[in-house]
Amino acid sequence: MTETPLNGEYDDWLDGIEAGEPYYVECSEGHGWLPPRRVCPDCGSRDLHEEPLPDSGEIATHTTITVATPQFEDDAPYVTAIADFGPVSITGLVRGVDPKDVSMGDAVGLEVGERETTGERAVVFRPR
Ligand SMILES: [Zn+2]
């Protein structure tokens, strides 16, 4: 059984970052998840609670997008990355650093920014 994250929960999660209180959800077995969900995919627990995210994450993988889909063409070139924050991995955009200077293991902080093209909120990593 899989459960897709609810849009409202994702928005709440972004609100938490903007409020300076980023969190992830954890079940009673210690499985951590993002985006927030109602049921733990590992053990099926419905007893999930919010835990504060670590202040700093570490870039695990990154990709520079030089030719973007029309939806994000004004954003290009940009860097997407997956960063590990404690028990959870978060996908976001890397800003505040030249794309060629982004490396695995870089320490990054988490904030909410906007897509240049659409103005939609997006998860942003900034080097610390
Ligand atoms: Zn679990």
Side-chain angles (χ1 to χ4, degrees):
M1 187 180 78
T2 59
E3 173 150 323
T4 50
L6 304 173
N7 285 335
E9 294 182 342
Y10 186 70
D11 277 338
D12 286 348
W13 181 66
L14 292 177
D15 289 344
I17 298 170
E18 288 187 326
E21 296 173 349
Y23 62 87
Y24 65 97
V25 298
E26 187 182 80
C27 77
S28 51
E29 301 291 321
H31 305 130
W33 298 101
L34 278 177
R37 56 197 70 207
R38 296 187 187 285
V39 179
C40 176
D42 264 9
C43 66
S45 170
R46 291 175 179 270
D47 181 22
L48 288 106
H49 57 277
E50 294 177 5
E51 286 286 324
L53 265 185
D55 288 339
S56 181
E58 191 173 281
I59 290 180
T61 67
H62 59 91
T63 306
T64 300
I65 310 294
T66 52
V67 180
T69 59
Q71 187 184 1
F72 297 127
E73 62 185 354
D74 292 345
D75 291 85
Y78 62 93
V79 182
T80 65
I82 297 172
D84 296 326
F85 283 74
V88 293
S89 298
I90 300 172
T91 303
L93 306 171
V94 183
R95 290 190 175 156
V97 60
D98 195 298
K100 70 180 181 341
D101 293 332
V102 178
S103 303
M104 280 175 60
D106 284 357
V108 290
L110 185 65
E111 60 185 68
V112 176
E114 285 186 357
R115 290 280 192 174
E116 302 278 343
T117 316
T118 61
E120 288 174 4
R121 293 199 294 178
V123 174
V124 169
F125 301 131
R126 281 190 193 277
R128 297 181 72 92

